Amino acid sequence: MTSPESIPAIVARQREFFAGGETRDLDFRVKSLEKLADEWKKREPEILEALAADLGKPDLEAYVSEYHFVLQEVRLFIKKLRRWAKPERVGSPFYFWPARSEIRREPFGVSLVIAPWNYPFQLAMAPLISSVAAGNCVVLKPSELAPATASKLAEMVESVFDSAHVTTVLGGIEVGKVVLDQRFEFIFYTGGETVGKIVAESAAEHLTPTVLELGGKCPCLLDSEIDLDVAAERIATGKWFNAGQTCLAPDFVLVPEALHDDLVSKLEANLRDWHSGSDLPDLARIVNDSHYQRLQNLAGETVIQIGTDDPETRRMAPRILPRAGFDDPAMQEEIFGPILPVIAYDDPDSTLSELQNSPSPLALYVFSKNRDFLETAAARVPSGSVCFNDLLKQATNFNLPFGGVGSSGHGRYRGKFGFEAFSYDRAVMKRYFFRDFFGIHPPYEGALEKLRKILK
Ligand code: NAD
């Protein structure tokens, strides 16, 4: 753990390093990212091991959603950074000619990245890569709930970066609070809404800009015109990946009454097929005892459960809650676990109104063969992202921005959007030493008449 007393000095050193100007150099940034990519590749087995230790993540899930995801992003930055960082030439008003105007992407300074535990490598490394690429210094605070990952991140950061450039601080809420008391030029936070508000409050103290990547209940709405087999397989895949501990996981499903029973039995058939043994080796574990207990309470008297729970290892069997309702306990908070309520509806219009009146989710999922149904749902229910006829895939496309809206957060990142999030657009105009053909300075007598003619 990092001693809280050492934190002000860490930030002060980074501020000094930033002022030295080295991070403004594009070669320096690209070299830093190349070094990071090399280290990342060398450490693949350690990364998968840490994820198995913290969350029991199956290797395949860890490989695609953390190891390879980060590798792809860092490679993209190495390839595209110089292009993204180029100043953008824009026109100037004719009455100031000759003049040259451009937009420069400038780094903020010292940035803070606070990461959660559910994708503990990906959600720490992706903002770190964006921030370094944009030319900032970074203080990274991983989640204490994924300790093996946190110490691996610290080890890796130490071997790649000068600590005055990028440093990891380890610890829980105590350390988090001291970190937030410092002044940063930019804060990037991923986690729950409650802490998100604390982060926003601390940021306001120094008028620090933020990106807040929060959570919420992502709905999955089905039309009657669908291929139910494909929909059921995709819903089961997206929901139980990482045992449902995904900010973008479908939190609940809304299905037309006539399809309810069929959907439930197809979801169940998929799960029974995939998890034939009782010890669920291909399902991640619940992160800690308090979340395990919280989820047990939400599950209540589950009707459909696939496999057996193991409180010792916190492996929790997938649950389906058929014929659920908006007033059920599982519908009062973000589930963030392997439980899926399925709600039957009769009227699409009142169902959309219900969603419209709920807090805006990070993602909206709609399944239909009917374009009008898809577009009406997207138009009526605001969300950070939308995926039609599948789940999670929108977040794996580096050409799309990732982020929430309203209570699911604000700001965007991933690829170019990450570079832009960690930079600010600086307006730069250059003029030359030609005499102005019209100067706006006293005496003003008669000048307005002349100006009207020029500007008309
Ligand atoms: P959390 O809010 O408990 O913690 C996140 C981070 O904040 C951790 O590093 C933690 O140490 C730190 N922290 C906690 N209390 C703090 C305090 N008082 N001061 C300073 N730092 C503090 O969130 P979590 O449980 O780790 O994550 C789960 C939530 O995150 C879910 O709601 C999920 O939907 C959301 N989430 C969102 C995204 C996204 O990209 N939008 C991704 C993953 C998770």
Side-chain angles (χ1 to χ4, degrees):
M1 183 175 137
T2 308
S3 86
E5 298 77 41
S6 66
I7 290 168
I10 292 174
V11 179
R13 273 194 69 209
Q14 291 209 349
R15 188 152 287 113
E16 206 176 301
F17 188 82
F18 181 76
E22 203 170 350
T23 67
R24 301 183 65 84
D25 178 28
L26 276 173
D27 283 338
F28 172 79
R29 297 187 210 173
V30 172
K31 275 196 192 110
S32 301
L33 295 175
E34 283 170 348
K35 214 167 150 197
L36 182 62
D38 288 345
E39 192 69 22
W40 190 252
K41 279 185 280 182
K42 261 194 266 164
R43 289 180 186 256
E44 181 195 326
E46 298 168 45
I47 290 165
L48 300 197
E49 244 169 62
L51 290 166
D54 284 335
L55 287 148
K57 277 203 196 203
D59 281 354
L60 184 129
E61 291 190 11
Y63 182 89
V64 294
S65 66
E66 307 238 29
Y67 171 75
H68 191 255
F69 195 95
V70 171
L71 187 61
Q72 255 184 304
E73 185 150 30
V74 72
R75 280 176 172 160
L76 179 71
F77 270 91
I78 291 168
K79 195 166 154 213
K80 297 279 178 75
L81 180 60
R82 287 175 202 282
R83 194 177 315 162
W84 293 339
K86 262 204 181 119
E88 183 189 338
R89 185 90 185 264
V90 293
S92 307
F94 74 91
Y95 36 82
F96 292 139
W97 287 351
R100 182 194 161 96
S101 297
E102 66 184 27
I103 303 163
R104 293 187 188 163
R105 320 289 176 203
E106 297 277 348
F108 283 99
V110 181
S111 65
L112 169 65
V113 172
I114 303 182
W117 51 263
N118 60 333
Y119 291 87
F121 278 110
Q122 188 213 117
L123 298 173
M125 291 300 291
L128 184 149
I129 290 165
S130 293
S131 190
V132 166
N136 300 291
C137 292
V138 188
V139 173
L140 169 67
K141 150 86 183 74
S143 172
E144 70 281 14
L145 300 189
T149 303
S151 59
K152 197 50 66 188
L153 278 166
E155 215 179 289
M156 211 172 332
V157 162
E158 203 181 327
S159 61
V160 173
F161 301 100
D162 181 333
S163 67
H165 181 203
V166 182
T167 318
T168 311
V169 294
L170 297 180
I173 294 175
E174 279 308 290
V175 168
K177 281 183 175 160
V178 178
V179 172
L180 277 181
D181 280 342
Q182 313 307 308
R183 179 167 68 83
F184 290 93
E185 277 74 44
F186 194 82
I187 300 179
F188 189 102
Y189 168 79
T190 307
E193 195 180 324
T194 311
V195 180
K197 287 179 184 166
I198 297 174
V199 172
E201 241 182 274
S202 312
E205 179 68 22
H206 300 288
L207 293 176
T208 304
T210 56
V211 166
L212 299 181
E213 294 285 346
L214 311 178
K217 290 179 85 64
C218 299
C220 178
L221 174 66
L222 272 53
D223 183 21
S224 43
E225 279 183 64
I226 54 170
D227 182 324
L228 201 59
D229 287 310
V230 173
E233 187 178 330
R234 290 184 181 168
I235 293 168
T237 305
K239 174 69 189 184
W240 284 283
F241 196 86
N242 202 26
Q245 300 168 112
T246 304
C247 53
L248 285 167
D251 192 88
F252 59 98
V253 175
L254 294 155
V255 60
E257 173 60 51
L259 296 185
H260 174 279
D261 293 356
D262 259 2
L263 174 70
V264 168
S265 62
K266 285 179 195 296
L267 286 170
E268 183 179 356
N270 273 307
L271 289 169
R272 294 210 184 278
D273 199 25
W274 300 342
H275 302 288
S276 47
S278 63
D279 60 346
L280 305 168
D282 292 333
L283 195 74
R285 286 197 307 261
I286 305 307
V287 66
N288 65 11
D289 289 337
S290 83
H291 276 288
Y292 184 83
Q293 202 43 57
R294 178 184 68 81
L295 288 164
Q296 291 290 333
N297 296 341
L298 283 189
E301 296 287 302
T302 306
V303 182
I304 299 170
Q305 174 177 331
I306 293 91
T308 322
D309 290 343
D310 182 355
E312 282 296 303
T313 60
R314 299 187 304 280
R315 196 92 55 182
M316 183 167 170
R319 313 304 215 256
I320 302 169
L321 310 184
R323 304 225 160 267
F326 281 103
D327 295 331
D328 292 357
M331 291 301 292
Q332 307 315 309
E333 60 182 84
E334 180 182 0
I335 295 172
F336 219 55
I339 304 167
L340 183 67
V342 180
I343 301 176
Y345 73 84
D346 290 315
D347 174 28
D349 185 59
S350 58
T351 304
L352 284 174
S353 298
E354 183 81 42
L355 296 180
Q356 228 167 347
N357 294 327
S358 308
S360 301
L362 199 53
L364 170 70
Y365 301 113
V366 194
F367 283 75
S368 179
K369 289 181 180 172
N370 178 340
R371 193 169 181 273
D372 282 351
F373 187 93
L374 296 173
E375 293 301 339
T376 305
R380 285 185 57 182
V381 184
S383 64
S385 62
V386 183
C387 189
F388 294 139
N389 301 326
D390 205 345
L391 306 133
L392 315 188
K393 305 294 187 298
Q394 79 280 19
T396 66
N397 181 351
F398 289 102
N399 299 313
L400 290 173
F402 179 90
V405 63
S407 60
S408 54
H410 59 247
R412 297 282 174 273
Y413 76 132
R414 287 286 141 81
K416 187 170 187 241
F417 305 98
F419 173 75
E420 289 171 353
F422 280 93
S423 316
Y424 71 93
D425 289 349
R426 190 178 199 185
V428 178
M429 189 193 252
K430 183 175 182 187
R431 298 204 66 222
Y432 304 85
F433 294 104
F434 299 100
R435 295 302 299 267
D436 293 325
F437 73 94
F438 190 93
I440 300 210
H441 52 69
Y444 289 142
E445 202 184 334
L448 183 55
E449 279 310 300
K450 240 162 108 187
L451 189 65
R452 279 205 179 101
K453 281 188 193 133
I454 297 170
L455 294 182
K456 84 170 177 253

